[in-house]
Each structure stands twice: as structure tokens, then as C-alpha cells.
Amino acid sequence: MNLLLGVLGGLLLIATVTNGFDLNTFDQLDAAKKSSDKHIVIRDLFVPAGKVLDLTNLQAGTVIEFTGRVTFGFAEWDGFMVLIKGKNIRVLGKPGHLIDGEGHRWWDGKGGHGGKKKPRFMQVTLEDSLVSGLHIKNTPKDCFVANFCKNVRIEYLNVDIKDGDKKGGHNTDGIGVGGSTNVTVSNCKVHNQDDCFCIGSGRDTVFENNVCTGGHGISIGSMGAGKTVERLLVRNCTVIRNTNGIRIKSRKGETGLVKDVTFQNVELQGVTQYGIIIHGNYPDNGPKSEPTPFPIENLTIDNVHGTVGRKATNILVWVYPGSPKNWKWNSSITGGKRRLSCKGVPQGVNMPCGKV
Ligand SMILES: *[C@@H]1O[C@H](CO)[C@@H](O)[C@H](O)[C@H]1NC(C)=O
Ligand SMILES: *[C@@H]1O[C@H](CO)[C@@H](O)[C@H](O)[C@H]1NC(C)=O
Ligand SMILES: *[C@@H]1O[C@H](CO)[C@@H](O)[C@H](O)[C@H]1NC(C)=O
Ligand SMILES: *[C@@H]1O[C@H](CO)[C@@H](O)[C@H](O)[C@H]1NC(C)=O
């Protein structure tokens, strides 16, 4: 009996150990994607310079696990270093793993505006899927984008580009969502040097329980080219030492639509330029030029509170008069002494614009 149990135990042990395709060398990538158990364990993988960790064409139902430390060779190129695409996929970070971009090899303070050519990091295009617990460090430029996704939850993502603060990280956008429907981003941490979260198009997006440190804030836009963002809920987030707390920006002379957007229970701590900024004259960053028409309808600011630095502006609204419709506003932002007058604030909205 004992012997039998021992044998069974041994078989179980073997079953667990061999569970999943162990992807440890890059040339096994295609085999891993085709393997019948639909379970890829990416373990201490080194991705050669200029190659894509191409996890597209996945079989529906595939589970991808990251374990150990995944690293990349250095090359100056455009494109994404990691692509993930499929239906009913689970992308999971195992405890202690790290996906390390070692971005310092590219960083030169110029980001996407010259210097070394820097790849973007990870793009997912998923349907009915989950991305959970990834720990991504020091990407050369943009970190994570969910493009053309549907019914996807992204949770417990740790975007740690803190080193970029001192070593020349720039345009290291944290989490972006574009062209997607029903994407929820929750319980994530982002420390970076550009937008913490940004969305340029899509519907039914939730960004909740996230903490942003060091970057450029939670951002809609820059809008334009006829794109629409509708039904976005940003809830229970903390924005620490970002240049902006919340921003909605549209490009000068371009149109589109922002509709049914709510920011609720968002706390700002030590924001350095604008607590809330809504402007229709991007790329200008403030009341330098006239805003152009861009509809922003059914916007709710509910309990957005906290502090900005002395040199900052608490709130700036600089939009084309008549563009906003049905705004509800309840904010309490203090600390900024840089007083700027507002433009286009809808009638009847009691907003402490231009006040310190
Ligand atoms: C939205 O996506 C989630 C998965 O993140 C799914 O559970 C939910 O059913 C989807 N909602 C709709 C209306 O499809
Ligand atoms: C708000 O977000 C923080 C940070 O993610 C989290 O710890 C906390 O549980 C959230 N609160 C609620 C009410 O969801
Ligand atoms: C305004 O937005 C809120 C929150 O997204 C939504 O519940 C409500 O139905 C919208 N109202 C209109 C008139 O569209
Ligand atoms: C604004 O929000 C605060 C915090 O939730 C709340 O106490 C206050 O009553 C609200 N004010 C209005 C006018 O809704």
C-alpha cells in the first residue's frame, strides 16, 4: 500500500514538474506555441537583440506563465519587444519573476524624440482574457499597451521604471489602452516618466485601484483624428508626484469625441504642474494658444482631491466655449499658487478655476 502511494506520489510529482512547455531558449518559441498542452512556461528566457518575443498566433485557451528573469539583447529598432495575441488567454506572472527591459542601455533623456532608436515594450491584443501579476522593469520607452482588445482584465501589473527618474528614462508611458472594448485595469502600480495611464480611443474602460508615481498622470488623449473615448471610469486611484493628476487633451484643429467619463475618488499627492487639466490646444500645454472645438460630454469629476506643489496650478480648463456638455464637478485640490484663468467652463458648473 505504502509502496503504491509512493509510486502514485512520484507520478503526480512528475506530472506537476512537466506541466507546461518549458520555454527557456528562444529557438523553442514556435514549438512552444504549437504544443498540445497549451501551457507555456517562459523561464529565465533571453530574447536575442532585435528579436520579438512573438506570442501571437496562440492557440485559444493558452496559458502563459512568466517565471524567473526574462531579459533582452540590446538593439536600436522600432516595434515591440513582446507581442501577445489570442482568445481566451491567461498571461500570468509567477511570484518572484521579473521581465527586465534593462532600459538604461537605451536611455538618453530623449525618449521618442531622437537619440537612440528605442523599441516599445509589450503589446497585447486579446479577447476574453486575463493578464495578471506581471512585473515589468525599466523599459526603453512605452511599457504596456492593450490595443484592439475585448473583454480583458489587466490586474496587479507592476510597472517599475523608477530607475529612469535618475538615468534618463523618457516617454516611458506606463499602461495604454486603444481601440478596445471592455478592458479593466486594476490594482496596478506604475512608476515612470510619462503618462501613467493613457487612452486615445475605445469604450467601456475601467481604471481602478491603481497607484501612479513619478509620471505624467492619468490621461485621455491626445484626442483627435475623429477618435472616440466613451464610457471610461477612473476610480480609487492615487497619483503621486506626477506632472499632472488628471488630463484630457485634444489636438489643435482636430476633432473626435469624449463622452460618459467619470473620475471618482482620485487622490493627488504633490502633483507638480496641473492637478486637473482639460485643454483643447495640444501640443501646447497650457493657455498659450486658443483651443479648437472638441466635444467633451457627460464628464463627472467626483471627489478628486489632494495636493499639488506651490508652483503648480490646481485646475486649468482651456477648451473651446460650447464644446463641453453636461459636466458635473466636485473637486478639492489645494496647494498650487500658479493661478491661470480658464476658458470654456460650461455655465452652471461651479468649479474653482483660476482660484488658489
Ligand atoms: C467584460 O470583460 C470581462 C472580463 O474581463 C467579462 O467577465 C465580462 O463578462 C465582460 N462584459 C461584457 C458585457 O461582455
Ligand atoms: C483603492 O486602491 C488601493 C490601491 O490599489 C487598494 O489598496 C484599496 O483596497 C482600494 N480601495 C477600494 C475601496 O477598492
Ligand atoms: C453619464 O455618465 C454616467 C457615468 O458614466 C452614466 O451612468 C450616465 O448614464 C451618463 N448619462 C448620460 C445622459 O449619458
Ligand atoms: C463633494 O465630495 C465630497 C467628498 O465625497 C462630499 O463630502 C461633498 O458632499 C460633495 N459635494 C457636493 C456638492 O456634492
Side-chain angles (χ1 to χ4, degrees):
M1 191 61 182
N2 277 343
L3 182 64
L4 183 60
L5 281 178
V7 169
L8 276 174
L11 286 174
L12 279 175
L13 187 65
I14 289 165
T16 353
V17 167
T18 56
N19 198 12
F21 189 108
D22 203 75
L23 180 59
N24 182 241
T25 52
F26 191 74
D27 57 17
Q28 300 248 277
L29 182 55
D30 279 333
K33 283 154 70 171
K34 287 180 191 139
S35 93
S36 59
D37 52 5
K38 300 186 188 178
H39 181 180
I40 305 173
V41 180
I42 301 178
R43 181 190 309 278
D44 295 314
L45 183 70
F46 172 73
V47 179
K51 297 282 191 204
V52 183
L53 177 52
D54 182 350
L55 298 161
T56 64
N57 298 311
L58 293 171
Q59 304 175 73
T62 297
V63 176
I64 297 171
E65 287 179 342
F66 283 90
T67 180
R69 181 164 171 263
V70 174
T71 54
F72 301 80
F74 171 82
E76 292 188 44
W77 62 296
D78 286 325
F80 285 97
M81 291 160 79
V82 185
L83 291 171
I84 306 179
K85 185 170 180 185
K87 284 187 186 174
N88 191 16
I89 305 295
R90 281 187 296 153
V91 183
L92 310 173
K94 302 304 280 181
H97 85 286
L98 182 65
I99 306 170
D100 196 345
E102 297 177 273
H104 63 273
R105 296 172 294 173
W106 287 269
W107 292 340
D108 52 14
K110 295 183 179 156
H113 301 284
K116 288 183 185 158
K117 202 182 270 182
K118 303 168 189 76
R120 294 192 278 174
F121 200 67
M122 186 181 293
Q123 170 172 264
V124 304
T125 303
L126 294 167
E127 210 176 309
D128 302 321
S129 297
L130 172 72
V131 178
S132 183
L134 298 189
H135 184 181
I136 306 177
K137 196 172 171 183
N138 294 351
T139 59
K141 197 156 80 81
D142 310 59
C143 181
F144 182 96
V145 287
N147 278 338
F148 307 104
C149 289
K150 196 177 165 195
N151 305 337
V152 174
R153 173 177 281 276
I154 296 154
E155 59 177 24
Y156 299 100
L157 190 60
N158 181 357
V159 174
D160 173 9
I161 317 179
K162 184 166 184 277
D163 293 341
D165 286 353
K166 293 215 169 81
K167 293 186 179 167
H170 193 60
N171 297 139
T172 50
D173 295 74
I175 301 170
V177 175
S180 298
T181 302
N182 185 23
V183 171
T184 293
V185 177
S186 66
N187 297 92
C188 299
K189 289 193 284 190
V190 176
H191 188 142
N192 66 339
Q193 299 80 33
D194 207 314
D195 293 338
C196 172
F197 173 75
C198 72
I199 178 166
S201 63
R203 48 199 49 79
D204 301 303
T205 311
V206 177
F207 186 73
E208 66 181 355
N209 300 355
N210 303 301
V211 179
C212 302
T213 306
H216 294 179
I218 298 171
S219 191
I220 301 178
S222 56
M223 296 300 301
K227 299 255 165 66
T228 296
V229 168
E230 67 183 324
R231 295 190 300 277
L232 166 67
L233 172 62
V234 174
R235 181 164 62 185
N236 182 36
C237 293
T238 307
V239 184
I240 304 166
R241 295 189 309 279
N242 277 232
T243 53
N244 308 292
I246 288 168
R247 169 158 69 167
I248 303 174
K249 56 180 170 172
S250 65
R251 295 193 290 273
K252 234 185 285 189
E254 294 186 35
T255 193
L257 177 64
V258 169
K259 186 168 176 274
D260 298 338
V261 170
T262 296
F263 292 89
Q264 190 174 50
N265 302 338
V266 176
E267 180 175 336
L268 314 183
Q269 297 177 12
V271 163
T272 57
Q273 289 179 17
Y274 296 99
I276 302 176
I277 175 169
I278 302 177
H279 64 122
N281 65 338
Y282 189 77
D284 285 336
N285 184 30
K288 286 180 201 147
S289 58
E290 288 304 301
T292 59
F294 188 97
I296 301 176
E297 299 176 2
N298 196 10
L299 168 69
T300 301
I301 301 285
D302 177 16
N303 188 30
V304 175
H305 64 277
T307 60
V308 304
R310 285 177 60 84
K311 291 179 180 166
T313 302
N314 294 334
I315 297 171
L316 176 68
V317 171
W318 190 254
V319 296
Y320 191 81
S323 281
K325 288 201 176 62
N326 188 24
W327 285 16
K328 297 191 181 68
W329 200 284
N330 180 359
S331 67
S332 168
I333 299 170
T334 59
K337 303 288 184 221
R338 181 166 175 252
R339 181 180 174 149
L340 298 171
S341 59
C342 287
K343 179 178 282 227
V345 174
Q347 263 183 356
V349 174
N350 180 17
M351 174 195 305
C353 222
K355 300 193 179 123
V356 293

